[in-house]
Amino acid sequence: LPLNETTMAESLKSVGYSTAIVGKWHLGVGKDGMYLPTHQGFDYYMGIPYSHDMCPCDVCFYPNLKCSDPQNECNNNHVPCPVFENEKIIQQPAVKINLTEMYIDAATNFIKE
């Protein structure tokens, strides 16, 4: 996403809306967080800044194979997935088993505010 591109969040903010994104932000982080959603007009962000397959994992999805198991498909050549809240890493590696619940709570809390 070019930095000069106007996002939907920036357009909505200009008419008084607050915006959030919860979940995968597939644009990465960038230097000093320049690609994070909070630098693209969003007021709130919780999620992983790229795809799960770009992260190794301690325990894979069902059937919960350890990374050392030859049947797993975890990629151990990448940094463990971080979960961001705004511009701060709040969990690393991401605990994927609880990720959906974290996302639901974050989205629900943002809507309530």
Side-chain angles (χ1 to χ4, degrees):
L1 181 68
L3 294 177
N4 65 348
E5 192 73 41
T6 301
T7 65
M8 183 179 291
E10 291 167 326
S11 294
L12 289 170
K13 185 181 275 193
S14 72
V15 292
Y17 285 91
S18 293
T19 57
I21 182 168
V22 176
K24 181 178 79 171
W25 173 258
H26 199 72
L27 299 177
V29 177
K31 184 178 180 186
D32 298 323
M34 66 193 270
Y35 297 129
L36 288 172
T38 51
H39 287 253
Q40 303 296 321
F42 288 92
D43 297 301
Y44 179 79
Y45 167 56
M46 176 182 277
I48 295 174
Y50 33 77
S51 179
H52 289 88
D53 65 353
M54 297 174 70
C55 309
C57 50
D58 294 326
V59 178
C60 294
F61 291 112
Y62 182 83
N64 296 329
L65 298 173
K66 296 284 185 196
C67 286
S68 59
D69 191 308
Q71 294 180 26
N72 97 16
E73 297 179 13
C74 294
N75 185 338
N76 291 307
N77 296 319
H78 298 286
V79 173
C81 274
V83 177
F84 277 80
E85 185 168 36
N86 296 317
E87 297 172 24
K88 180 181 177 189
I89 294 174
I90 60 168
Q91 189 179 79
Q92 190 176 25
V95 179
K96 295 174 187 172
I97 300 298
N98 301 329
L99 203 52
T100 300
E101 186 177 327
M102 280 179 60
Y103 287 170
I104 290 168
D105 290 346
T108 302
N109 289 337
F110 182 82
I111 292 167
K112 286 178 181 178
E113 291 177 11

